[in-house]
Amino acid sequence: AFIKLPDQTAATLKAHCSFLNLLREAELSKSSAPEGTEQRDFIFGVVSQWGTDEPDPSKGLDMGLISFQMNEGNVNEIAARDGYDRLGFAPLPNQEFVPPLPNQKVFPPESYGGTSGGGLWRRYTEPTADGKGGFVQSRLLGVPYWEKEVNGSLTIICHGPNSIYRQLPHQIRRRWKDD
């Protein structure tokens, strides 16, 4: 779902929150990878099984806890559907979760439910002496919306670049043309 924001509200969000410039990201999606970089793909999102809906008064919390995940994985194109491109994301096993889970046990979720609406990002790094790689650029590659089991492993299905940078803006403009 999308809503039109008044210019002042959009400016406030941009100044104080994460605010993705879709036009800039669309241009980046058409360009080649920065020279001399390596790429790694990650999904960021909330995993519903790790959160709590209710506050925990014993810990002085007045809201529930939300834990997010950052998984590195492999991306491959899968069949388009109704003119929308799609990507499959297979998380790599034995990931570190950021921040670590409250019980300090590291395990992949049984379901990536809740991850929909997060982002599939491609990160470009340049080699460094310590082997960690220096950040160069990141690009929004897709938006997760479904999971399914493929060959015994969960795969997260994402809308791809054509869907988010061409189809989506077209549909939004079409629906809002009278406003």
Side-chain angles (χ1 to χ4, degrees):
F2 288 87
I3 58 172
K4 281 187 178 181
L5 297 174
D7 290 341
Q8 182 178 355
T9 303
T12 300
L13 287 171
K14 188 175 182 179
H16 300 287
C17 303
S18 294
F19 200 87
L20 184 72
N21 183 326
L22 198 62
L23 296 174
R24 181 179 174 273
E25 290 294 325
E27 288 303 313
L28 279 175
S29 76
K30 299 175 196 172
S31 64
S32 301
E35 192 172 325
T37 61
E38 298 174 358
Q39 73 181 40
R40 294 169 66 187
D41 298 323
F42 297 88
I43 277 193
F44 292 84
V46 172
V47 176
S48 59
Q49 80 182 69
W50 294 340
T52 59
D53 296 333
E54 299 297 322
D56 184 348
S58 69
K59 295 183 179 174
L61 298 175
D62 60 356
M63 65 180 84
L65 295 175
I66 298 174
S67 295
F68 74 95
Q69 57 105 20
M70 177 183 105
N71 266 121
E72 182 175 2
N74 298 311
V75 173
N76 64 310
E77 285 188 45
I78 58 177
R81 194 174 276 171
D82 298 325
Y84 292 89
D85 64 330
R86 299 183 316 146
L87 303 172
F89 178 86
L92 296 176
N94 302 320
Q95 298 279 318
E96 286 189 37
F97 293 94
V98 181
L101 298 178
N103 63 7
Q104 300 301 312
K105 291 182 180 176
V106 178
F107 59 91
E110 293 173 14
S111 168
Y112 288 90
T115 303
S116 58
L120 170 59
W121 291 85
R122 179 157 286 160
R123 181 177 176 182
Y124 296 95
T125 59
E126 58 190 2
T128 58
D130 63 7
K132 292 183 180 180
F135 176 77
V136 174
Q137 185 181 85
S138 62
R139 298 179 185 181
L140 180 64
L141 186 61
V143 176
Y145 71 91
W146 193 254
E147 71 177 49
K148 69 179 191 175
E149 193 168 315
V150 177
N151 299 326
S153 297
L154 285 177
T155 296
I156 302 168
I157 309 301
C158 305
H159 291 291
N162 183 56
S163 297
I164 58 177
Y165 298 125
R166 291 171 196 80
Q167 296 284 4
L168 178 62
H170 172 74
Q171 292 298 326
I172 292 169
R173 282 188 211 97
R174 185 176 68 79
R175 290 185 184 169
W176 286 346
K177 68 181 177 185
D178 297 329
D179 290 348

